[in-house]
Amino acid sequence: MAKTNLSNHLFLLAATTSVVALLVGFAPPEADKTTYALDVPLQIPSQDSIQLSAINNQLSIQIPSSERHRNIGIDSADLENNAPSSSDSAFNITTIRNLPNADLEFDTTVDQRDGANYKTYTKVIKAGDSIYRILSSHGVSDSDIYEISMSDKKPQELTVMQPGQTLSFELKESGNKVEVNKLILQKSLLEQVVFNAKDGDFHKERFVRTPEIVQVYKEVSIKYSLSLDGLEAGIDQSILNQLSNIFAWDIDFALDLREGDTFSLLYEEKLLDGKLIGFGNILAAQFVNNGKTFQAVRFETSRGSHYYTPDGLSMRKAFIRTPVEFSRISSSFNPKRLHPIFKTARPHRGVDYAASTGTPIKASGDGKIIFKGKQNGYGNVVIINHGRGYTTLYGHMSRFVRSLKRGSKVKQGQVIGYVGQTGYATGPHLHYEFRINGKHQNPVTVKLPNDIPMTKKDLKRYLPYAQQMMSSLRSYHSHEYAQKLAKLKLTSKK
Ligand SMILES: [Zn+2]
């Protein structure tokens, strides 16, 4: 008998909270949201066997008993009119209160043990939410909130909750007293911080899960673009971005790709309980561009993780090929150029990249600014010394980056100024020169030096590993792909 009463009580609580959730879910957005309590005289065998469903404003409570299922239909219109109706049992409907909108964000479950109600609220954190506001709006006392925040020892997490994280808390309600029994901040799929009430104090614990990492192999033949064909092959955009970064010094993915280019790669997927939750790194990759094969293997040295050719040269070059996004080369490197009218030698010692005024110009390599200012024909010009005998020059700038001075250190890719047409220029373009030991080179074709090489000790570790990675990449190749590669090698030998 006592058990039946308890069960009935549970049913009511479950019904109340779920009815709210269901009605809210199905009501038009502007409708008034009201909570109803149902007082239903029913025999319910166990809490687990109650099912609630709502279709078209019709709330249905299904109670499977040992012999049969009983359905009680309640029309939401009946609820509004306070007019009870039932196909099965008589029940009373009482309007409890209008629900403040804020509560709609919470998922609620109810449990009852030791003569008290335990309600669990779950909420996805939004910008502007604070632990104080959330808990106090549920009747938690200031002193309880204070106790929790005191137990949130460094690193503090509750004061810096981020939008998208999930907060759930279990409140123990006995009489008028509301206490926090447990509070869980789900920081990410992998990290959870739990606060448990214990003798008026809170005990903080952290749980971190490690995802399972699996290696995935993919191979793709380019038909349209890296992105289109890669995504079609089921490769995530973040992995495709990694891929284009690895080969950025060798392949211009906007201009150099050809139909029939191929790439294959081995990368990591992160799984949690068998579900894909994210991506790791590309471990090894091969790109065949216009008959030329590029290969890269990821390897960790004392300088961090980087990509290297199978021989151990850095994939990252000391220079990027073009320091500006340009529309076309308006004048090529030509040291023997003659003046069109006077037929005298008028060499063009750099390359002109046409681009609109204001386009950012990047330092092509790490170095130090050795000149910044006006020079006759060059207009506003910057010269960078990269060490090892390398210097680069950038002319006709409309303006400089003001914070940079003579002597400033710059990084590869750092913006140093903007395209213009100062000095002798007929249209906006960047005049770019590349010098090795004072001698001008063609910036478009010069062999770019590799980045700082790895130490001999690292290389000794790396070479056998790279061989192993390249052979595992090969072993994954499909027959079709292998044939294609063989054909490419044949044609490039001709
Ligand atoms: Zn020029």
Side-chain angles (χ1 to χ4, degrees):
M1 185 63 202
K3 196 182 172 206
T4 311
N5 275 343
L6 179 69
S7 299
N8 262 348
H9 197 83
L10 281 175
F11 164 64
L12 289 182
L13 282 165
T16 309
T17 45
S18 303
V19 164
V20 174
L22 292 168
L23 282 182
V24 166
F26 282 82
E30 67 277 9
D32 201 15
K33 280 116 189 171
T34 309
T35 310
Y36 299 96
L38 308 179
D39 188 3
V40 192
L42 290 173
Q43 302 287 317
I44 299 161
S46 83
Q47 184 201 356
D48 297 338
S49 52
I50 303 166
Q51 273 184 21
L52 289 154
S53 55
I55 299 158
N56 297 332
N57 287 337
Q58 169 88 23
L59 175 72
S60 167
I61 304 166
Q62 204 171 64
I63 306 145
S65 67
S66 47
E67 308 88 29
R68 63 203 172 100
H69 288 226
R70 293 163 77 188
N71 270 302
I72 310 163
I74 311 163
D75 199 278
S76 67
D78 293 335
L79 291 172
E80 298 294 336
N81 299 333
N82 254 9
S85 79
S86 165
S87 56
D88 196 67
S89 301
F91 49 81
N92 300 313
I93 300 165
T94 336
T95 306
I96 302 174
R97 67 194 163 97
N98 281 322
L99 213 61
N101 271 326
D103 263 19
L104 301 177
E105 298 171 15
F106 292 87
D107 268 347
T108 318
T109 57
V110 184
D111 189 12
Q112 195 182 49
R113 42 186 202 264
D114 315 326
N117 286 327
Y118 288 86
K119 287 193 192 174
T120 304
Y121 298 88
T122 303
K123 181 192 197 305
V124 178
I125 299 300
K126 284 188 191 155
D129 277 338
S130 78
I131 188 72
Y132 179 80
R133 228 187 62 191
I134 293 169
L135 291 181
S136 62
S137 74
H138 284 82
V140 177
S141 69
D142 285 5
S143 64
D144 235 19
I145 298 173
Y146 176 76
E147 286 300 333
I148 293 172
S149 60
M150 286 310 285
S151 71
D152 188 14
K153 301 246 164 57
K154 272 178 191 168
Q156 287 193 327
E157 343 241 358
L158 295 175
T159 46
V160 291
M161 295 187 299
Q162 297 297 313
Q165 295 180 340
T166 305
L167 182 76
S168 63
F169 48 97
E170 186 181 59
L171 301 183
K172 179 185 173 186
E173 297 178 358
S174 45
N176 287 333
K177 222 170 139 197
V178 179
E179 288 171 303
V180 177
N181 188 48
K182 187 177 197 168
L183 189 141
I184 301 171
L185 179 65
Q186 189 78 40
K187 295 185 72 182
S188 67
L189 283 168
L190 300 175
E191 193 182 5
Q192 192 180 63
V193 188
V194 178
F195 298 80
N196 270 308
K198 212 175 175 187
D199 312 322
D201 261 347
F202 287 89
H203 180 65
K204 178 179 174 181
E205 264 184 299
R206 181 186 307 278
F207 298 91
V208 180
R209 297 188 64 188
T210 329
E212 187 196 345
I213 294 193
V214 293
Q215 292 184 7
V216 179
Y217 171 80
K218 289 274 161 78
E219 61 186 39
V220 176
S221 189
I222 299 278
K223 210 169 168 191
Y224 303 106
S225 73
L226 179 66
S227 261
L228 277 177
D229 298 311
L231 291 172
E232 166 123 353
I235 305 171
D236 192 77
Q237 186 64 52
S238 65
I239 294 292
L240 295 171
N241 293 346
Q242 276 190 40
L243 187 78
S244 62
N245 285 335
I246 293 168
F247 294 108
W249 288 269
D250 299 298
I251 304 168
D252 183 333
F253 285 93
L255 299 175
D256 294 348
L257 286 202
R258 303 275 184 280
E259 189 180 337
D261 281 0
T262 55
F263 65 90
S264 57
L265 72 170
L266 202 58
Y267 64 94
E268 298 169 322
E269 277 185 357
K270 294 179 182 172
L271 305 180
L272 196 66
D273 303 325
K275 265 169 84 181
L276 179 68
I277 60 157
F279 299 92
N281 299 304
I282 292 178
L283 303 173
Q286 167 167 293
F287 210 113
V288 182
N289 172 235
N290 207 10
K292 238 177 134 186
T293 302
F294 302 95
Q295 294 172 320
V297 175
R298 183 184 174 87
F299 191 65
E300 192 179 338
T301 69
S302 50
R303 290 177 53 236
S305 287
H306 298 280
Y307 290 89
Y308 299 91
T309 66
D311 306 334
L313 296 175
S314 174
M315 291 303 287
R316 182 188 190 272
K317 301 282 195 288
F319 294 90
I320 47 175
R321 179 66 70 186
T322 40
V324 69
E325 275 189 41
F326 64 100
S327 56
R328 65 194 170 89
I329 290 178
S330 50
S331 180
S332 301
F333 178 78
N334 184 358
K336 292 181 184 133
R337 183 171 71 170
L338 295 179
H339 191 280
I341 297 160
F342 304 114
K343 305 290 178 199
T344 51
R346 209 166 153 262
H348 190 226
R349 295 185 218 268
V351 64
D352 291 350
Y353 294 109
S356 49
T357 300
T359 306
I361 297 165
K362 296 175 247 178
S364 55
D366 293 356
K368 201 197 236 176
I369 291 183
I370 51 169
F371 184 87
K372 177 194 163 189
K374 270 191 205 311
Q375 273 185 17
N376 269 342
Y378 290 130
N380 290 329
V381 64
V382 167
I383 302 174
I384 299 175
N385 184 350
H386 303 278
R388 297 194 275 170
Y390 291 89
T391 52
T392 53
L393 178 148
Y394 313 78
H396 309 310
M397 289 183 179
S398 57
R399 59 193 174 92
F400 303 107
V401 167
R402 216 182 300 162
S403 60
L404 295 176
K405 307 260 176 315
R406 196 180 148 209
S408 294
K409 282 193 174 156
V410 289
K411 287 265 169 216
Q412 183 182 103
Q414 186 179 340
V415 175
I416 52 170
Y418 301 89
V419 171
Q421 51 177 323
T422 53
Y424 305 147
T426 49
H429 72 273
L430 168 69
H431 172 91
Y432 176 56
E433 291 182 13
F434 194 100
R435 283 182 244 184
I436 305 177
N437 297 322
K439 197 166 179 285
H440 289 89
Q441 310 287 330
N442 183 347
V444 177
T445 56
V446 63
K447 189 172 169 356
L448 296 174
N450 286 79
D451 208 12
I452 309 161
M454 63 171 105
T455 62
K456 278 195 177 137
K457 206 175 140 203
D458 283 332
L459 192 65
K460 218 175 148 192
R461 271 194 314 131
Y462 173 74
L463 290 174
Y465 172 75
Q467 220 161 48
Q468 182 199 322
M469 289 312 282
M470 289 322 294
S471 93
S472 75
L473 201 60
R474 265 196 304 276
S475 72
Y476 279 115
H477 280 325
S478 68
H479 183 61
E480 192 190 348
Y481 187 87
Q483 271 187 336
K484 206 170 211 168
L485 284 181
K487 221 166 156 188
L488 273 168
K489 272 186 190 136
L490 223 72
T491 43
S492 60
K493 265 184 197 158
K494 274 181 195 166

